[in-house]
Amino acid sequence: MLQGPYSSLDRDRPLIRLPFTDFAVVTVLLPLVGFIGCLFISLMYHFEDSTYTHCQVSNYLPSISAAISLIPERYIWRCCIGLHSAPRYLVTAAYFSFYRRRFAKRLPELLLSGLALLCSLAENTGLLLLTYVASTETYSVHKYGFIVFIVSSLLHMLITCRLWHVIRKHYVNPEEITSYRWKSRLFVFNVSCCLVAAYFFRRHNKYCETGVYTLFAFFEYLVVFSNMAFHMTAFWDFGSKEVIVATPPEDKRY
Protein backbone atom coordinates (compact mmCIF):
# COMPACT_ATOMS: atom_id res chain seq x y z
CA MET A 1 0.00 0.00 0.00
CA LEU A 2 1.43 3.31 -1.08
CA GLN A 3 1.41 6.17 1.39
CA GLY A 4 1.90 9.87 0.88
CA PRO A 5 4.64 11.83 2.61
CA TYR A 6 2.46 12.01 5.74
CA SER A 7 0.73 8.80 6.83
CA SER A 8 -2.30 8.81 9.12
CA LEU A 9 -0.01 7.71 11.96
CA ASP A 10 2.32 10.66 11.39
CA ARG A 11 -0.59 13.04 11.08
CA ASP A 12 -2.15 11.93 14.38
CA ARG A 13 1.12 12.06 16.30
CA PRO A 14 1.39 15.22 18.51
CA LEU A 15 3.50 17.96 16.96
CA ILE A 16 4.54 19.28 20.38
CA ARG A 17 4.29 17.50 23.72
CA LEU A 18 5.61 19.38 26.75
CA PRO A 19 5.13 18.60 30.46
CA PHE A 20 3.20 21.43 32.10
CA THR A 21 5.83 21.68 34.85
CA ASP A 22 8.47 22.61 32.24
CA PHE A 23 6.00 24.98 30.59
CA ALA A 24 5.31 26.73 33.92
CA VAL A 25 9.00 27.06 34.79
CA VAL A 26 9.91 28.60 31.41
CA THR A 27 6.93 30.97 31.57
CA VAL A 28 8.00 32.34 34.96
CA LEU A 29 11.73 32.37 34.15
CA LEU A 30 11.24 34.72 31.19
CA PRO A 31 10.21 37.81 33.23
CA LEU A 32 12.46 36.80 36.13
CA VAL A 33 15.61 36.58 34.02
CA GLY A 34 14.58 39.67 32.06
CA PHE A 35 14.06 41.75 35.18
CA ILE A 36 17.30 40.64 36.85
CA GLY A 37 19.16 41.41 33.62
CA CYS A 38 17.59 44.88 33.35
CA LEU A 39 18.35 45.61 37.01
CA PHE A 40 21.97 44.53 36.64
CA ILE A 41 22.53 46.66 33.53
CA SER A 42 20.84 49.67 35.14
CA LEU A 43 23.02 49.47 38.25
CA MET A 44 26.25 48.81 36.33
CA TYR A 45 25.91 51.18 33.40
CA HIS A 46 23.03 53.61 34.04
CA PHE A 47 23.20 54.10 37.78
CA GLU A 48 22.76 57.87 37.84
CA ASP A 49 19.93 57.96 35.31
CA SER A 50 18.02 54.99 36.74
CA THR A 51 18.22 56.12 40.39
CA TYR A 52 17.43 59.81 39.79
CA THR A 53 14.22 61.18 41.33
CA HIS A 54 12.65 64.64 41.44
CA CYS A 55 13.81 65.01 45.06
CA GLN A 56 17.46 64.82 43.95
CA VAL A 57 18.53 62.94 47.09
CA SER A 58 20.81 59.91 47.33
CA ASN A 59 19.17 56.74 46.05
CA TYR A 60 20.75 53.32 45.60
CA LEU A 61 18.20 51.21 43.73
CA PRO A 62 16.13 52.02 40.63
CA SER A 63 12.39 51.54 40.62
CA ILE A 64 11.10 48.86 38.25
CA SER A 65 9.78 51.53 35.89
CA ALA A 66 13.21 53.16 35.75
CA ALA A 67 15.05 49.85 35.36
CA ILE A 68 12.99 48.86 32.30
CA SER A 69 12.74 52.26 30.60
CA LEU A 70 16.34 52.85 29.49
CA ILE A 71 18.15 51.34 26.49
CA PRO A 72 18.94 48.43 26.07
CA GLU A 73 16.97 47.44 29.20
CA ARG A 74 13.72 48.50 27.54
CA TYR A 75 14.17 46.07 24.66
CA ILE A 76 15.30 43.19 26.86
CA TRP A 77 12.23 43.57 29.06
CA ARG A 78 9.85 43.91 26.11
CA CYS A 79 11.28 40.80 24.48
CA CYS A 80 10.91 38.72 27.65
CA ILE A 81 7.37 39.92 28.39
CA GLY A 82 6.33 39.48 24.76
CA LEU A 83 7.43 35.83 24.87
CA HIS A 84 5.90 35.44 28.34
CA SER A 85 2.47 36.90 27.54
CA ALA A 86 1.09 34.22 25.19
CA PRO A 87 1.75 31.33 27.64
CA ARG A 88 0.21 33.42 30.44
CA TYR A 89 -3.01 33.83 28.48
CA LEU A 90 -2.98 30.09 27.81
CA VAL A 91 -2.56 29.34 31.54
CA THR A 92 -5.46 31.72 32.28
CA ALA A 93 -7.71 29.71 29.94
CA ALA A 94 -6.47 26.44 31.49
CA TYR A 95 -7.37 27.62 35.00
CA PHE A 96 -10.84 28.70 33.90
CA SER A 97 -11.44 25.29 32.31
CA PHE A 98 -10.16 23.62 35.49
CA TYR A 99 -12.49 25.67 37.72
CA ARG A 100 -15.51 25.02 35.49
CA ARG A 101 -15.05 21.29 35.92
CA ARG A 102 -14.47 21.51 39.67
CA PHE A 103 -17.36 23.90 40.36
CA ALA A 104 -19.87 22.78 37.73
CA LYS A 105 -22.58 22.44 40.42
CA ARG A 106 -21.53 25.34 42.67
CA LEU A 107 -22.82 28.64 41.28
CA PRO A 108 -21.00 31.05 43.68
CA GLU A 109 -17.59 29.50 42.94
CA LEU A 110 -18.42 29.30 39.24
CA LEU A 111 -19.11 33.05 39.21
CA LEU A 112 -15.86 33.65 41.10
CA SER A 113 -14.08 31.56 38.47
CA GLY A 114 -15.36 33.92 35.79
CA LEU A 115 -14.20 36.92 37.82
CA ALA A 116 -10.78 35.29 38.29
CA LEU A 117 -10.60 34.89 34.50
CA LEU A 118 -11.33 38.59 33.95
CA CYS A 119 -8.80 39.66 36.61
CA SER A 120 -6.11 37.45 35.12
CA LEU A 121 -6.75 38.83 31.63
CA ALA A 122 -6.62 42.38 33.02
CA GLU A 123 -3.39 41.61 34.90
CA ASN A 124 -1.67 40.27 31.80
CA THR A 125 -2.94 43.16 29.67
CA GLY A 126 -1.84 45.73 32.26
CA LEU A 127 1.61 44.14 32.30
CA LEU A 128 1.84 44.43 28.52
CA LEU A 129 0.69 48.05 28.66
CA LEU A 130 3.25 49.15 31.25
CA THR A 131 5.92 47.17 29.39
CA TYR A 132 5.41 48.58 25.91
CA VAL A 133 4.69 52.15 27.04
CA ALA A 134 7.72 53.18 29.10
CA SER A 135 7.48 55.80 31.85
CA THR A 136 9.90 57.97 29.85
CA GLU A 137 7.58 57.86 26.81
CA THR A 138 4.00 58.45 28.03
CA TYR A 139 4.01 58.50 31.82
CA SER A 140 0.23 58.66 32.30
CA VAL A 141 -0.39 55.56 30.15
CA HIS A 142 2.45 53.70 31.89
CA LYS A 143 1.02 54.68 35.29
CA TYR A 144 -2.49 53.47 34.45
CA GLY A 145 -1.07 50.22 33.10
CA PHE A 146 0.78 49.73 36.38
CA ILE A 147 -2.38 50.45 38.41
CA VAL A 148 -4.40 47.97 36.33
CA PHE A 149 -1.68 45.37 36.81
CA ILE A 150 -1.43 45.78 40.59
CA VAL A 151 -5.17 46.00 41.32
CA SER A 152 -6.15 43.10 39.06
CA SER A 153 -3.21 41.06 40.37
CA LEU A 154 -4.31 41.47 44.00
CA LEU A 155 -7.94 40.69 43.15
CA HIS A 156 -6.89 37.65 41.15
CA MET A 157 -4.79 36.31 44.02
CA LEU A 158 -7.58 36.93 46.54
CA ILE A 159 -10.19 35.15 44.41
CA THR A 160 -7.79 32.31 43.65
CA CYS A 161 -7.11 31.76 47.36
CA ARG A 162 -10.86 31.65 48.01
CA LEU A 163 -11.42 29.09 45.26
CA TRP A 164 -8.56 26.91 46.46
CA HIS A 165 -9.85 27.14 50.02
CA VAL A 166 -13.04 25.47 48.76
CA ILE A 167 -11.03 22.91 46.79
CA ARG A 168 -8.98 22.06 49.88
CA LYS A 169 -12.16 21.41 51.91
CA HIS A 170 -13.56 18.95 49.38
CA TYR A 171 -10.43 17.22 48.03
CA VAL A 172 -7.43 15.58 49.69
CA ASN A 173 -4.88 15.69 46.87
CA PRO A 174 -1.51 16.49 48.56
CA GLU A 175 -0.35 18.67 45.66
CA GLU A 176 -3.51 20.77 45.84
CA ILE A 177 -3.12 21.25 49.59
CA THR A 178 0.50 22.33 49.11
CA SER A 179 -0.57 24.69 46.32
CA TYR A 180 -3.26 26.28 48.50
CA ARG A 181 -0.87 26.85 51.40
CA TRP A 182 1.74 28.53 49.22
CA LYS A 183 -0.87 30.61 47.45
CA SER A 184 -2.15 31.90 50.79
CA ARG A 185 1.34 32.68 52.11
CA LEU A 186 2.39 34.45 48.93
CA PHE A 187 -0.84 36.46 48.80
CA VAL A 188 -0.34 37.74 52.37
CA PHE A 189 3.31 38.48 51.64
CA ASN A 190 2.43 40.29 48.41
CA VAL A 191 -0.22 42.48 50.08
CA SER A 192 2.18 43.31 52.92
CA CYS A 193 4.92 44.34 50.47
CA CYS A 194 2.44 46.44 48.47
CA LEU A 195 1.43 48.34 51.60
CA VAL A 196 5.02 48.90 52.73
CA ALA A 197 6.06 50.01 49.21
CA ALA A 198 3.12 52.45 49.06
CA TYR A 199 4.13 53.86 52.46
CA PHE A 200 7.74 54.50 51.39
CA PHE A 201 6.63 55.94 48.03
CA ARG A 202 4.32 58.42 49.75
CA ARG A 203 6.96 59.27 52.36
CA HIS A 204 9.57 59.89 49.67
CA ASN A 205 7.31 62.25 47.74
CA LYS A 206 6.32 64.11 50.90
CA TYR A 207 9.64 64.43 52.75
CA CYS A 208 12.35 63.70 50.14
CA GLU A 209 14.49 61.76 52.64
CA THR A 210 17.72 60.06 51.62
CA GLY A 211 17.37 56.32 51.01
CA VAL A 212 13.59 56.16 51.34
CA TYR A 213 13.08 55.67 47.61
CA THR A 214 15.59 52.82 47.78
CA LEU A 215 13.36 51.10 50.34
CA PHE A 216 10.37 51.67 48.08
CA ALA A 217 12.22 50.08 45.15
CA PHE A 218 13.29 47.09 47.27
CA PHE A 219 9.74 46.31 48.38
CA GLU A 220 8.52 46.88 44.83
CA TYR A 221 10.91 44.11 43.77
CA LEU A 222 9.43 41.84 46.43
CA VAL A 223 5.94 42.55 45.11
CA VAL A 224 7.00 41.41 41.65
CA PHE A 225 8.94 38.37 42.86
CA SER A 226 6.04 37.18 45.04
CA ASN A 227 3.67 37.68 42.12
CA MET A 228 5.88 35.46 39.97
CA ALA A 229 6.07 32.86 42.73
CA PHE A 230 2.27 32.90 43.09
CA HIS A 231 1.87 32.08 39.40
CA MET A 232 4.54 29.42 39.75
CA THR A 233 2.16 27.41 41.99
CA ALA A 234 0.62 26.19 38.71
CA PHE A 235 3.53 23.72 38.96
CA TRP A 236 1.45 21.81 41.55
CA ASP A 237 -1.97 22.54 40.07
CA PHE A 238 -1.17 21.02 36.66
CA GLY A 239 1.81 18.84 37.56
CA SER A 240 0.44 15.74 35.82
CA LYS A 241 -0.78 17.61 32.72
CA GLU A 242 0.90 18.21 29.38
CA VAL A 243 0.76 20.97 26.78
CA ILE A 244 0.07 19.28 23.44
CA VAL A 245 -0.18 20.61 19.90
CA ALA A 246 -1.71 17.95 17.66
CA THR A 247 -3.78 17.50 14.52
CA PRO A 248 -7.40 16.50 15.30
CA PRO A 249 -8.55 13.14 13.87
CA GLU A 250 -10.32 13.39 10.50
CA ASP A 251 -13.55 11.92 11.84
CA LYS A 252 -13.77 14.78 14.39
CA ARG A 253 -13.49 17.56 11.85
CA TYR A 254 -16.67 19.37 11.00
Side-chain angles (χ1 to χ4, degrees):
M1 180 177 177
L2 296 177
Q3 294 181 340
Y6 298 103
S7 66
S8 60
L9 181 61
D10 291 331
R11 185 177 61 249
D12 294 339
R13 185 180 293 117
L15 301 175
I16 298 175
R17 191 165 191 163
L18 182 68
F20 197 93
T21 50
D22 296 344
F23 181 78
V25 169
V26 172
T27 300
V28 173
L29 279 179
L30 280 168
L32 177 62
V33 172
F35 174 67
I36 292 175
C38 290
L39 184 61
F40 175 79
I41 295 173
S42 294
L43 290 173
M44 292 297 296
Y45 301 104
H46 303 136
F47 182 81
E48 295 296 332
D49 291 335
S50 64
T51 57
Y52 174 84
T53 70
H54 70 281
C55 288
Q56 299 184 14
V57 295
S58 297
N59 179 34
Y60 310 104
L61 288 176
S63 67
I64 293 176
S65 295
I68 65 173
S69 64
L70 300 171
I71 296 175
E73 297 93 320
R74 181 189 307 174
Y75 302 124
I76 294 172
W77 180 247
R78 287 177 179 177
C79 181
C80 290
I81 294 301
L83 294 172
H84 160 85
S85 60
R88 276 287 300 275
Y89 282 116
L90 180 61
V91 172
T92 296
Y95 267 114
F96 183 62
S97 178
F98 171 80
Y99 292 144
R100 281 197 306 171
R101 290 196 299 269
R102 284 293 178 95
F103 303 122
K105 298 181 181 180
R106 299 177 64 93
L107 182 59
E109 283 75 23
L110 197 57
L111 292 175
L112 282 178
S113 301
L115 186 56
L117 171 67
L118 294 177
C119 288
S120 183
L121 292 174
E123 178 186 351
N124 296 339
T125 304
L127 178 60
L128 285 172
L129 186 61
L130 70 89
T131 293
Y132 285 94
V133 182
S135 59
T136 54
E137 296 173 336
T138 308
Y139 178 75
S140 60
V141 176
H142 178 87
K143 180 180 72 173
Y144 289 129
F146 180 79
I147 292 172
V148 169
F149 169 74
I150 288 294
V151 172
S152 57
S153 171
L154 291 173
L155 285 174
H156 175 256
M157 286 192 280
L158 175 62
I159 295 169
T160 299
C161 287
R162 169 59 188 169
L163 292 172
W164 281 86
H165 176 72
V166 175
I167 290 174
R168 188 196 65 165
K169 288 169 58 178
H170 294 85
Y171 300 91
V172 292
N173 188 316
E175 287 79 12
E176 291 176 347
I177 293 175
T178 301
S179 177
Y180 167 72
R181 288 174 178 170
W182 276 107
K183 281 179 170 65
S184 300
R185 293 167 185 165
L186 289 167
F187 171 63
V188 172
F189 182 76
N190 188 271
V191 171
S192 301
C193 290
C194 281
L195 293 175
V196 175
Y199 165 75
F200 284 123
F201 183 77
R202 181 177 176 82
R203 180 167 175 169
H204 167 76
N205 287 328
K206 188 174 182 179
Y207 300 110
C208 286
E209 298 169 296
T210 299
V212 171
Y213 198 78
T214 300
L215 292 173
F216 158 72
F218 175 74
F219 281 97
E220 189 185 29
Y221 301 164
L222 294 182
V223 169
V224 171
F225 289 145
S226 58
N227 177 275
M228 293 178 187
F230 187 93
H231 289 294
M232 188 61 198
T233 59
F235 185 94
W236 291 298
D237 302 340
F238 301 107
S240 60
K241 303 295 189 295
E242 294 180 324
V243 178
I244 298 176
V245 177
T247 303
E250 289 185 1
D251 59 347
K252 293 185 179 180
R253 295 176 183 171
Y254 297 96

